[in-house]
Every structure is written in structure tokens, then in C-alpha cells.
Amino acid sequence: MTAAALAALSLAYAPAAGAVTPTLATADYDCGTWGGGQARLTATQSGTRATITLRSAVMTPVAVGADSINATLTFAKAGGGTKSFTGTRNPALPAWGPVEIGPLSATVAPGDTLNSYFAGPALTMSIFGFPVSCDAVTSQSPGPFVF
């Protein structure tokens, strides 16, 4: 009975499976004529499903309705390759407000380590049919997302 109680207690204090660390990171993006600057990336994970929400320093010159920005956020995977998070999710954005997209979703594997992507556009968006491409100009801080 003592062994069962100890096992139950150790499970109660064990870290949750499928947790991403860190859950918050920042990175700088250059979106050309749309602007640039620091973006805040918030990650969540539930099993193999992961989401990223990005709040950017890029401003939209006009109001944008909810769930109308089609976006892809690409990360470099440690060891090679990329992982893209996609979706058409965003809150309603006021004119001259910062662009916020997400949650964008993807499937991840245990141990996936994802950081800023430098071999092309890291973030692509379509806003009212206008393509916006953003390049990552810094690695994530405090470090890559580890799922």
C-alpha cells in the first residue's frame, strides 16, 4: 500500500506531459514596407497539437476584421528542416494597431526544437489579398521552443 501511495504522489508532482518550454519568446522580424520590430510569440501544446500566437510590432494601416488574416509562421527545426504553423485566426484589429495572429496550429513530435527561420520568409500573411512577407532577423529569446 505504501508503494502505491508513493507512486500516486510521484505522479501528482510529475511535470505535465506535452508541455512546451519556454511558453513565451520574442524575436525581431523585418516586414519590408509594412515595418518591423520585436514580436512576442506565445506557444501552447496539448499532446502532439501545438499552437503559436504572434503579436507583432507591425501595424496595419486599416481596421482588419476577426479571422481574416491567412498566415503561415515557419520555424527552423534543430537538426534540419522546418515546421510551419498555419491558420486564419486573428482578433479584430483597429487601424494602426499591432498585428496579432493566431493561434496558428501544427503537429509536433516529442523533442521538436523550433527557432527563428532565416532561410527565407519566416512569416507570410495575406491581409485583404495583399501579401506580406517577414524575415526573422534574430533568434528567439530566451531560446527556441522545445516540445
Side-chain angles (χ1 to χ4, degrees):
M1 186 181 275
T2 302
L6 287 174
L9 186 60
S10 68
L11 285 175
Y13 288 102
V20 59
T21 57
T23 57
L24 178 65
T26 59
D28 290 346
Y29 291 85
D30 177 4
C31 301
T33 58
W34 285 78
Q38 188 175 78
R40 184 182 72 217
L41 302 138
T42 305
T44 64
Q45 180 182 3
S46 178
T48 60
R49 184 175 184 275
T51 64
I52 304 284
T53 300
L54 180 142
R55 183 174 173 94
S56 173
V58 174
M59 302 290 187
T60 176
V62 295
V64 177
D67 300 333
S68 61
I69 298 175
N70 186 11
T72 300
L73 181 60
T74 302
F75 293 91
K77 288 177 68 174
T82 61
K83 174 65 68 176
S84 293
F85 288 72
T86 61
T88 308
R89 301 285 312 269
N90 61 276
L93 304 171
W96 300 110
V99 171
E100 184 173 336
I101 55 171
L104 305 176
S105 61
T107 300
V108 294
D112 273 355
T113 301
L114 308 177
N115 202 346
S116 297
Y117 177 68
F118 296 108
L123 173 63
T124 58
M125 298 177 283
S126 178
I127 304 174
F128 297 125
F130 292 100
V132 179
S133 290
C134 304
D135 294 327
V137 295
T138 65
S139 290
Q140 290 166 215
S141 177
F145 293 124
V146 179
F147 294 90

